[in-house]
Amino acid sequence: MEKETAEIKMKIFAVILGVIVFTACNNKSKELDNSVTSTDTIKTSHHKHWNYEGETGPDHWSEIDQNDCSGKLQSPIDIVGAENDNTLKPIEFHYSQKTKIHDVINNGHTIQFDFEPGDFIVINGQQYELKQFHFHESAEHTIKGVRYPLEIHMVHKNKDGRFAVISIMAQEDKKSNETFEFLDKYLPKKVNDTIKVNNDFNINKVLPQNKSFYTYTGSLTTPPCTEDVQWFIFKKQIDVSIKMITDLKKLMPINNYRSVQELNGRKIKESI
């Protein structure tokens, strides 16, 4: 009888010991999981964010995370030595006279107008949907060394994820401009502010009447500096009121443009 009682006690002790060991191992596993999560959080928090000056300015963009900013097909460039190409077809614009602006964002780098789906361009039979346009002051691209006070980037994307960006140079005009007076009303005053817009907008009025252009293959002009972007820079500039340019200057970082990049053997073509 005593022998059976001792065996029962041993079995109970073994079970209790097993539970203790399992619980300890389980807790240790959770501690390791939490440790991995904490490490990942630390890594994320130490990612550098880019801007237009200092240690995170354009000269250091290639050092920020993984991107294409040190690639050979970078933008912007100086438009010089363009070759006439009579095979270039005009860009087909399918912009509504009542374009729906989704919202306007002050993202700390620029003022960006986002659009509802429906407006698009056609380039060599490929359709690119208008996603947004934004501003750079002063201009990013230069034309034969000349830098304009303002450059507008109209960003389009096709179904395969490729970008086509139309660039419009703007010069200051003392006269008021109905189109830009409308846009000026919706400029967010603070970084990360977003303004909802419920009015229609005729985006066609942003375009110059003469739509001849320069074109080349480049990149996005901000990190991640994605390459294989097709650029179309209008040869004719538009007039923008001094007030609009002044207001943008107050709200955007000073000189929110990237310096011109090396051409690296690329060809710049010019439509007739």
Side-chain angles (χ1 to χ4, degrees):
M1 186 69 177
E2 292 180 0
K3 184 177 181 181
E4 290 177 357
T5 303
E7 288 178 354
I8 292 171
K9 288 181 177 180
M10 288 295 292
K11 288 179 179 179
I12 293 173
F13 177 75
V15 170
I16 293 172
L17 182 63
V19 170
I20 292 171
V21 170
F22 174 79
T23 303
C25 290
N26 193 42
N27 289 339
K28 184 64 176 178
S29 176
K30 288 181 179 178
E31 287 175 8
L32 289 173
D33 288 342
N34 291 335
S35 176
V36 172
T37 303
S38 299
T39 302
D40 289 344
T41 303
I42 291 170
K43 286 180 180 178
T44 301
S45 67
H46 278 82
H47 284 175
K48 292 182 179 179
H49 193 62
W50 62 273
N51 57 34
Y52 286 98
E53 60 183 359
E55 295 181 355
T56 53
D59 291 341
H60 299 280
W61 285 352
S62 61
E63 304 163 12
I64 300 174
D65 300 333
Q66 293 183 350
N67 56 42
D68 294 329
C69 295
S70 59
K72 299 296 184 183
L73 304 177
Q74 291 293 291
S75 297
I77 61 170
D78 182 27
I79 305 297
V80 63
E83 301 175 359
N84 289 336
D85 187 344
N86 56 16
T87 67
L88 288 174
K89 297 179 181 180
I91 301 169
E92 298 176 32
F93 287 89
H94 297 268
Y95 289 169
S96 171
Q97 293 186 359
K98 293 185 177 181
T99 297
K100 296 292 185 182
I101 301 174
H102 183 71
D103 53 32
V104 189
I105 303 169
N106 181 338
N107 60 23
H109 305 303
T110 185
I111 302 295
Q112 177 176 309
F113 285 74
D114 292 330
F115 296 95
E116 298 285 356
D119 295 278
F120 62 93
I121 58 176
V122 176
I123 301 169
N124 295 326
Q126 285 280 324
Q127 181 172 315
Y128 293 79
E129 183 178 330
L130 175 65
K131 296 296 184 181
Q132 48 103 334
F133 72 59
H134 61 268
F135 303 90
H136 292 274
E137 187 278 325
S138 301
E140 295 204 295
H141 289 86
T142 56
I143 299 178
K144 298 178 181 178
V146 175
R147 190 182 300 278
Y148 284 87
L150 188 71
E151 182 174 354
I152 303 171
H153 289 170
M154 306 184 75
V155 182
H156 304 74
K157 198 174 186 180
N158 72 3
K159 61 181 182 180
D160 299 320
R162 295 187 65 185
F163 290 99
V165 184
I166 292 174
S167 167
I168 306 171
M169 301 297 171
Q171 63 183 4
E172 295 176 344
D173 187 0
K174 293 181 179 179
K175 295 180 293 183
S176 62
N177 179 305
E178 181 181 349
T179 301
F180 288 97
E181 281 183 357
F182 174 88
L183 296 177
D184 202 8
K185 293 188 298 184
Y186 298 103
L187 302 183
K189 304 301 182 185
K190 297 179 181 179
V191 174
N192 296 325
D193 275 2
T194 298
I195 294 178
K196 299 293 183 183
V197 182
N198 296 317
N199 292 329
D200 297 330
F201 172 61
N202 187 356
I203 198 171
N204 294 281
K205 292 186 176 181
V206 173
L207 307 174
Q209 290 186 344
N210 184 335
K211 296 179 178 60
S212 58
F213 57 84
Y214 303 104
T215 184
Y216 76 99
T217 301
S219 73
L220 299 181
T221 62
T222 58
C225 308
T226 305
E227 295 190 331
D228 200 24
V229 173
Q230 199 61 36
W231 279 91
F232 299 87
I233 295 96
F234 283 138
K235 292 195 280 185
K236 299 298 182 181
Q237 68 276 1
I238 62 172
D239 293 330
V240 174
S241 67
I242 293 176
K243 182 181 184 306
M244 176 70 173
I245 294 177
T246 301
D247 288 347
L248 286 169
K249 188 174 182 178
K250 291 177 182 177
L251 301 176
M252 300 190 303
I254 296 173
N255 297 327
N256 68 331
Y257 64 87
R258 187 187 192 190
S259 299
V260 295
Q261 304 295 297
E262 295 292 335
L263 199 56
N264 292 322
R266 285 174 284 175
K267 300 289 185 182
I268 305 171
K269 295 184 178 182
E270 180 179 358
S271 67
I272 305 300

